[in-house]
Amino acid sequence: MIKMLLEWFLPQQCLLCDRVGIENPVCEACLHAIKPQPKILTLSPVLSVESCFEYHHGLQKLLHLYKFEKHTQLAPLFVQKLKETVDFSAQKYDLCIPVPAHENRIHSRGFYPVELLFKGFFLDVYSPCVQRCKDTPYLFELSALERSRLLKGAFRLHAGTSVQGKSIVVVDDIVTTGATLASMSELLYCEGARKVSALTLAYTQLKHMVENHP
Ligand SMILES: [Zn+2]
């Protein structure tokens, strides 16, 4: 209650540079400084990921605030950045599937970050039909072997869902090791998907990924 009152009386402050008296959560100068650096990362011979921003500086801080401190007011800002960077009219898929969070995480956060980012772009084909059945820890610091062991059987299709013969885009906020996207695509190909691609807002620089500039 006190926080709400303070927010009402105090002028809005930029989440990145603390400039006050602005209309949006991030000031124009900071927003402008977040430049898209789109890349296509090849994760495997059958999976490439289109991604828009390197995960550093301003974007890293904002994405952290959005996901872990529930700054949901940042969602429209990310959506706008995606709109400026990705040609969604050229994205023709039968299905768009978000990387699912385990229910425990959704409950502890109270919202679903990936859905707010992408659902609006893929309305007709958006389908959260893959379920995470194992709550895996964050995978970034684990070895490739540990990651693949932890992700074994981590996902399954909801009963009654078919991906047979479909062209699918898997969406997530960030690609870090790529292990989660690889595991999802493996499941979807096993279930008969014709083609699986991935799209994320941000990426980290990883040595094992092959970069192709679009
Ligand atoms: Zn600022």
Side-chain angles (χ1 to χ4, degrees):
M1 185 66 185
I2 291 171
K3 187 169 175 269
M4 276 172 68
L5 281 172
L6 281 174
E7 280 170 357
W8 180 261
F9 286 114
L10 290 174
Q12 185 156 233
Q13 201 170 13
C14 174
L15 288 168
L16 291 177
C17 72
D18 295 339
R19 185 176 303 179
V20 289
I22 57 167
E23 285 180 15
N24 298 308
V26 181
C27 77
E28 282 298 319
C30 287
L31 209 52
H32 190 68
I34 300 174
K35 299 254 188 268
Q37 293 166 293
K39 276 187 180 166
I40 293 172
L41 307 157
T42 305
L43 286 184
S44 76
V46 288
L47 182 66
S48 57
V49 187
E50 182 177 358
S51 188
C52 307
F53 295 90
E54 200 175 328
Y55 185 59
H56 66 176
H57 308 313
L59 191 87
Q60 182 170 8
K61 184 171 176 191
L62 292 180
L63 204 48
H64 189 94
L65 289 170
Y66 172 62
K67 280 174 71 173
F68 301 108
E69 296 185 31
K70 296 184 190 172
H71 282 261
T72 51
Q73 80 276 27
L74 289 171
L77 179 156
F78 294 130
V79 166
Q80 183 58 35
K81 286 281 179 191
L82 279 168
K83 204 183 278 181
E84 288 165 12
T85 314
V86 179
D87 180 6
F88 283 97
S89 67
Q91 310 253 343
K92 304 279 183 227
Y93 299 101
D94 304 316
L95 268 182
C96 168
I97 305 178
V99 170
H102 193 274
E103 284 195 1
N104 294 347
R105 281 197 204 162
I106 297 174
H107 288 155
S108 67
R109 283 186 193 143
F111 81 112
Y112 195 5
V114 181
E115 182 170 296
L116 290 184
L117 297 183
F118 289 101
K119 192 174 181 180
F121 294 114
F122 292 102
L123 275 179
D124 298 345
V125 294
Y126 186 87
S127 169
C129 61
V130 170
Q131 188 181 0
R132 191 185 283 258
C133 30
K134 253 164 110 178
D135 194 5
T136 51
Y138 290 98
L139 303 166
F140 190 65
E141 291 179 347
L142 303 180
S143 71
L145 198 66
E146 285 172 310
R147 288 197 296 266
S148 78
R149 185 178 58 77
L150 276 169
L151 284 165
K152 208 168 175 50
F155 301 107
R156 69 169 166 236
L157 270 183
H158 282 298
T161 306
S162 169
V163 295
Q164 190 74 38
K166 292 190 171 154
S167 167
I168 299 168
V169 62
V170 176
V171 289
D172 205 356
D173 51 355
I174 179 166
V175 51
T176 48
T177 67
T180 304
L181 291 174
S183 177
M184 286 257 308
S185 80
E186 203 175 302
L187 167 78
L188 295 168
Y189 277 121
C190 282
E191 295 283 342
R194 176 166 52 86
K195 175 96 183 78
V196 182
S197 315
L199 173 64
T200 69
L201 175 72
Y203 58 90
T204 53
Q205 291 286 16
L206 287 168
K207 290 186 189 75
H208 73 276
M209 289 182 182
V210 180
E211 293 170 7
N212 303 301
H213 294 269

